[in-house]
């Protein structure tokens, strides 16, 4: 069993944290001519725009930046959640959906923080894991961190050392992480 | 009397603690209990010596007693009538953590660098330290003893003061091997740093400057002026371990030598 | 399992799931914040009130996450339920007090919280400059906390103190008014 990726979206629908696991397919886009000629900031931005060349969900036809992928993932969970609410009432939400290649798990707090984990299809019932990431890691290391701002435009303050390390330490020993 | 009530507290908020000491003292003096009186007398001496230096003196000193207003207007029981020995029930650590977060966020605005930000956090701690010292002095009134030597005072901070605010004594008190004027108070798990992940662009920032301010206020208030700074020295066992470096004013060293 | 009242939830969470700290640390630290603001705004208490409220708002945004993570509470069904949760669970698990809920408006969109105890203001006396007792709401940070925390659960409220024992009033009272229930935000560019 494997975790492919993990995402957090805030109430403003912005991706504030993202981490890839076991994604050898994801490669850095080779530097373009423009980015090799000096402007380091631009270069860095180019470097950050990693692309998916093949495999991994969602399977695109062309290169997909992390930003694009975040938008896609969010679009899917947001529509699905809204549909479920419309069909089944306010207090209903969805837990997961799966395709032949992957499974997407979803947990939303009352504050509209959305936690998404994409795994292989065999992974079952990891909602408690997402809840623990929220209560044990996100609240303790992001929310209570005086140096993190109250909200996280552009992910500011989420990707800190304690949270990242905590997440690694929490997920790595799990059965679903192999 | 005036010296006690108005001591080294600035004119604005939280004067209550000092003022209640005054109320406490007046009532004790009124009952003319002799043994009690001598205790209070020693306290008066202790406290009148607590005129603090440096930052405290830049605070506005209020030389006005607050007694007249309560005479003029009939008022219900005031804070001066309350028992300062009563300890309020505990609160959630989170309440402190969230308040501290906002203090840090507010201090981050318009600062030029890490140093300035640490100074601001230290100033908050200084304000707290002044009041904790007074409160401890009043509560420990039975064993009121004026600390005249550096080590005694540092031990008082290390145990009594630390316990009074953080619920546990500090973890160690050490003297610098190389510097005669430097001492270290060590806290393995300082409350201010509990949830902190220091960002990479400010690696030297230590939010425990808040506690450094507390120590500095107590040192100053007891006539041992010193500069106190916080330094993070993480170990595997205690990743938050912080050393509070107390650098004594040369005058203090001189006095120590004289007293020896 | 029987449905537990907010009071039971609050007591239970407070007893079993909350790490405690000495109240005086919080009281004195809050005092240092208000004192600093009075200095920074040169005793312009109207501005101090605003700054306290805005700091409270930021705290509320954080605090609600801690609240939800610790209480696992369900979404409230009505504003009345919300008031109960604020008093019996929210104030209980952070400040160890349960302010009374009084003065409901007829449309059930406004209530008052009456604070018999207020750890923030313990042993506090307002500056006697003749101005503070009329202008400063010492505990105004709490109004911001409620506004921030409730906004995060899609309730836009206004909260303000209308009396304070520190000013010589008989009671400390905060009015909380529901403005509207917020819609979930939509992704940018989506209609």
């Amino acid at each position: 069993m494997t975790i492919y990726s993990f995402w957090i979206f805030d109430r403003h629908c912005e991706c504030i944290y993202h981490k890839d696991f076991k994604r050898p397919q994801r490669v850095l886009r080779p530097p373009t001519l423009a980015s090799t000629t000096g402007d380091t900031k631009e270069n860095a931005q180019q470097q950050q725009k990693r692309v998916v060349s093949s495999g991994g969900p969602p399977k695109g036809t062309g290169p997909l930046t992390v930003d694009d992928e975040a938008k896609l993932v969010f679009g899917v969970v947001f529509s699905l959640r809204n549909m479920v609410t419309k069909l089944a009432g306010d207090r209903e939400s969805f837990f997961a959906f799966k395709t032949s290649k992957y499974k997407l798990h979803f947990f939303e707090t009352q504050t509209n923080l959305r936690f998404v984990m994409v795994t292989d299809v065999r992974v079952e019932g990891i909602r408690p894991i997402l809840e623990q990431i929220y209560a044990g890691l996100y609240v303790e290391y992001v929310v209570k961190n005086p140096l993190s701002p109250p909200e996280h435009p552009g992910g500011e303050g989420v990707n800190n050392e304690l949270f990242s390390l905590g997440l690694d330490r929490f997920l790595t020993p799990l059965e679903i992480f192999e | 009397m005036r010296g006690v009530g108005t001591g080294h507290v600035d004119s604005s908020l939280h004067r209550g603690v000092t003022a209640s000491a005054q109320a406490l003292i007046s009532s004790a003096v009124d009952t003319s209990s002799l043994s009690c009186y001598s205790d209070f007398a020693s306290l008066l001496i202790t406290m009148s010596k607590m005129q603090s230096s440096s930052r405290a003196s830049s605070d506005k000193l209020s030389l006005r007693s607050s007694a007249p207003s309560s005479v003029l207007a009939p008022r219900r029981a005031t804070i001066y009538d309350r028992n300062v020995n009563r300890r309020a029930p505990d609160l959630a650590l989170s309440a402190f953590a969230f308040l501290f977060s906002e203090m840090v966020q507010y201090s981050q605005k318009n600062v030029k660098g890490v140093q300035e930000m640490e100074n601001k956090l230290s100033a908050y701690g200084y304000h707290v330290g002044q009041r904790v010292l007074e409160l401890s002095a009043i509560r420990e009134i039975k064993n009121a003893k004026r600390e005249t030597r550096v080590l005694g005072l540092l031990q008082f901070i290390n145990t009594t003061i630390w316990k009074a605010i953080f619920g546990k004594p500090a973890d160690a008190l050490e003297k610098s091997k190389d510097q005669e004027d430097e001492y270290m108070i060590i806290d393995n798990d300082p409350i201010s740093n509990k949830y902190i992940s220091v960002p990479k662009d400010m690696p030297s920032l230590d939010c425990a400057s808040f506690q450094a301010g507390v120590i500095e206020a107590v040192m100053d208030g007891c006539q041992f002026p010193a500069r106190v700074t916080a330094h993070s020295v993480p170990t595997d066992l205690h990743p938050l371990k912080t050393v509070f470096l107390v650098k004594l004013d040369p005058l203090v060293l001189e006095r120590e030598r004289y007293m020896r | 399992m029987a449905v537990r009242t907010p009071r039971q939830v609050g007591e239970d969470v407070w007893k079993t799931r909350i790490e405690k700290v000495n109240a005086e640390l919080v009281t004195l630290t809050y005092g240092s914040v208000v004192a600093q603001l009075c200095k920074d705004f040169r005793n312009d208490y109207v501005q101090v009130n605003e700054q306290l409220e805005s700091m409270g708002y930021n705290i509320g945004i954080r605090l609600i996450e801690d609240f939800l993570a610790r209480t696992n509470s369900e979404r409230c069904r009505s504003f009345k339920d919300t008031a109960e949760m604020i008093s019996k669970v929210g104030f209980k698990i952070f400040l160890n007090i349960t302010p009374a809920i009084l003065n409901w408006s007829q449309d059930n969109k406004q209530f008052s919280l009456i604070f018999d105890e207020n750890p923030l203001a313990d042993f506090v006396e307002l500056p006697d400059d003749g101005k503070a007792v009329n202008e400063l709401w010492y505990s105004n940070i709490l109004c911001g906390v409620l506004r921030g925390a409730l906004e995060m659960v899609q309730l836009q409220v206004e909260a303000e103190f209308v009396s304070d024992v520190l000013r010589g009033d008989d009671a400390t009272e905060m009015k909380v008014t529901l403005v509207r229930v917020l819609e979930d935000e939509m992704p940018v560019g989506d209609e």
Side-chain angles (χ1 to χ4, degrees):
Chain A
M1 287 186 279
T2 303
I3 300 171
Y4 292 132
S5 61
F6 172 67
W7 310 77
I8 307 175
F9 301 92
D10 70 0
R11 63 180 179 139
H12 308 300
C13 311
E14 195 181 337
C15 176
I16 56 170
Y17 185 79
H18 154 252
K19 190 173 178 109
D20 274 348
F21 301 88
K22 310 278 168 114
R23 291 276 296 261
Q25 301 94 332
R26 221 183 237 290
V27 293
L28 290 174
R29 180 189 292 179
T32 60
L33 275 179
S35 65
T36 50
T37 56
D39 188 340
T40 49
K41 198 175 175 189
E42 196 176 315
N43 201 357
Q45 275 172 355
Q46 289 286 346
Q47 293 281 330
Q48 275 181 350
K49 289 197 175 174
R50 291 173 294 166
V51 293
V52 178
S53 59
S54 67
K59 198 161 182 173
T61 47
L64 197 58
T65 65
V66 173
D67 282 355
D68 288 341
E69 194 177 339
K71 283 202 181 88
L72 277 181
V73 171
F74 186 78
V76 169
V77 296
F78 193 67
S79 320
L80 201 52
R81 146 209 198 264
N82 289 349
M83 186 192 77
V84 170
T85 314
K86 276 210 180 87
L87 292 176
D90 264 355
R91 278 155 193 276
E92 208 47 75
S93 186
F94 80 97
F95 299 122
F97 71 78
K98 77 178 169 186
T99 72
S100 64
K101 291 260 166 35
Y102 69 93
K103 191 165 174 183
L104 183 147
H105 309 259
F106 178 67
F107 164 61
E108 179 171 9
T109 68
Q110 286 183 47
T111 54
N112 291 352
L113 263 179
R114 289 101 177 184
F115 293 78
V116 174
M117 194 171 272
V118 183
T119 66
D120 77 82
V121 289
R122 289 168 301 159
V123 172
E124 290 292 335
I126 58 164
R127 192 180 166 86
I129 289 175
L130 294 179
E131 286 176 359
Q132 270 173 282
I133 291 175
Y134 168 60
L137 297 171
Y138 185 84
V139 171
E140 295 298 303
Y141 297 138
V142 178
V143 172
K144 289 187 185 170
N145 183 347
L147 296 171
S148 287
E151 296 211 75
H152 313 281
E156 193 190 348
V158 183
N159 189 12
N160 67 52
E161 205 181 338
L162 282 179
F163 181 70
S164 282
L165 273 181
L167 193 62
D168 277 349
R169 279 192 197 136
F170 175 63
L171 291 177
T172 316
L174 296 180
E175 214 175 277
I176 56 166
F177 189 93
E178 267 166 22
Chain B
M1 197 86 241
R2 205 172 64 173
V4 176
T6 56
H8 56 270
V9 178
D10 59 80
S11 65
S12 52
L13 303 151
H14 268 281
R15 202 178 43 193
V17 167
T18 317
S20 24
Q22 191 181 17
L24 207 73
I25 289 161
S26 337
S27 68
V29 173
D30 287 344
T31 57
S32 309
S33 152
L34 202 63
S35 64
C36 214
Y37 185 77
S38 63
D39 275 343
F40 281 115
S42 69
L43 177 80
L44 291 190
I45 296 160
T46 318
M47 293 184 76
S48 62
K49 300 288 183 194
M50 286 179 191
Q51 295 292 345
S52 45
S53 58
S54 63
R55 253 185 289 174
S57 58
S58 69
D59 287 350
K60 271 181 268 165
L61 290 181
S62 161
L63 293 176
R64 212 159 6 118
S65 160
S66 49
S69 64
S70 57
V71 174
L72 291 176
R75 277 161 58 170
R76 84 189 110 245
T78 67
I79 49 173
Y80 314 118
D81 306 317
R82 288 183 39 194
N83 182 354
V84 288
N85 282 314
R86 188 190 78 95
R87 281 171 196 266
D90 283 351
L91 309 180
L93 170 63
S94 305
F96 176 79
F98 291 129
L99 179 60
F100 191 69
S101 294
E102 255 327 283
M103 290 158 63
V104 171
Q105 292 289 320
Y106 181 74
S107 306
Q108 250 174 338
K109 284 179 195 158
N110 310 320
V111 290
K112 288 186 201 76
V114 169
Q115 186 61 52
E116 196 181 342
M117 176 156 171
E118 289 184 343
N119 289 347
K120 286 190 171 191
L121 290 175
S122 169
Y124 286 117
Y126 198 93
H127 183 106
V128 172
Q130 288 178 313
R131 284 147 187 83
V132 170
L133 170 60
E134 269 190 291
L135 204 48
S136 303
I138 296 161
R139 285 181 176 159
E140 308 276 317
I141 205 156
K142 288 221 171 68
N143 342 311
K145 169 173 167 268
R146 183 178 175 195
E147 295 297 348
T148 53
R149 303 297 295 266
V150 169
L151 207 54
L153 179 59
L154 287 168
Q155 267 156 358
F156 172 72
I157 295 172
N158 203 52
T159 53
T160 311
I161 294 283
W162 228 250
K163 255 195 215 154
I165 28 181
F166 305 119
K168 58 165 183 112
D171 295 290
L173 170 62
E174 288 170 16
K175 185 173 183 343
S176 164
K177 287 193 189 83
D178 318 316
Q179 304 290 331
E180 201 196 353
D181 60 346
E182 287 182 356
Y183 288 82
M184 288 164 287
I185 291 176
I186 295 159
D187 191 330
N188 288 336
D189 194 20
I191 190 171
S192 56
N193 293 17
K194 215 170 169 76
Y195 305 104
I196 294 228
S197 189
V198 171
K200 298 202 167 53
D201 54 335
M202 291 195 278
S204 67
L205 174 72
D206 199 324
C207 290
S209 303
F210 176 74
Q211 289 95 320
V214 172
I215 299 173
E216 200 169 300
V218 177
M219 298 294 293
D220 283 357
C222 294
Q223 289 289 292
F224 289 77
R227 174 91 183 105
V228 185
T229 46
H231 306 272
S232 169
V233 281
T235 63
D236 284 344
L237 195 57
H238 303 291
L240 301 180
K241 183 171 171 182
T242 298
V243 169
F244 298 99
L245 187 67
V246 180
K247 195 171 178 60
L248 298 165
D249 190 284
L251 283 171
V252 177
L253 276 190
E254 206 174 296
R255 189 176 59 201
E256 283 280 303
R257 279 190 215 108
Y258 175 77
M259 290 181 71
R260 215 180 286 150
Chain C
M1 203 172 74
V3 180
R4 296 186 310 156
T5 64
R7 185 176 290 281
Q8 286 166 326
V9 173
E11 291 285 345
D12 193 41
V13 172
W14 170 255
K15 273 189 202 130
T16 58
R17 307 188 62 180
I18 302 291
E19 204 176 334
K20 316 287 197 298
V21 72
N22 182 348
E24 277 157 9
L25 172 65
V26 180
T27 308
L28 291 173
T29 304
Y30 184 65
S32 76
V33 172
V34 183
Q36 185 62 45
L37 293 183
C38 288
K39 210 185 254 173
D40 290 354
F41 292 101
R42 303 198 172 135
N43 294 350
D44 180 339
Y45 299 120
V46 177
Q47 281 195 52
V48 173
N49 292 340
E50 274 170 27
Q51 182 62 36
L52 284 172
E53 206 275 349
S54 112
M55 291 170 94
Y57 175 78
N58 290 338
I59 290 176
I61 286 178
R62 295 178 192 256
L63 173 144
I64 186 71
E65 305 288 4
D66 197 28
F67 174 91
L68 293 171
R70 281 176 203 273
T71 60
N72 296 318
S73 47
E74 293 274 307
R75 194 173 285 280
C76 293
R77 284 163 199 274
S78 68
F79 199 48
K80 284 223 158 182
D81 286 355
T82 307
E84 286 290 317
M85 285 305 268
I86 291 169
S87 158
K88 310 289 192 307
V89 188
F91 275 102
K92 177 68 194 176
I93 69 172
F94 290 105
L95 294 182
N96 194 14
I97 55 174
T98 47
I101 303 164
L102 287 176
N103 307 338
W104 273 103
S105 65
Q106 289 209 321
D107 61 2
N108 286 336
K109 286 187 175 170
Q110 187 185 67
F111 62 90
S112 289
L113 290 170
I114 311 289
F115 296 85
D116 285 339
E117 304 163 273
N118 176 6
L120 294 186
D122 220 13
F123 280 116
V124 169
E125 190 181 59
L126 297 181
D128 47 2
D129 56 1
K131 223 170 75 161
V133 285
N134 298 317
E135 293 175 6
L136 178 62
W137 292 113
Y138 184 85
S139 309
N140 218 35
I141 201 163
L142 295 177
C143 297
V145 172
L146 285 194
R147 182 168 68 89
L150 292 175
E151 181 182 303
M152 294 298 279
V153 289
Q154 300 87 43
L155 296 174
Q156 188 186 337
V157 301
E158 279 167 7
E160 56 173 11
F161 278 102
V162 293
S163 67
D164 189 342
V165 289
L166 292 186
R167 292 178 167 208
D169 297 322
D170 289 332
T172 301
E173 174 178 357
M174 185 203 291
K175 268 199 194 315
V176 185
T177 314
L178 176 64
V179 179
R180 65 193 174 105
V181 177
L182 299 163
E183 297 283 327
D184 290 342
E185 287 183 38
M186 303 284 283
V188 182
D190 264 30
E191 292 307 319

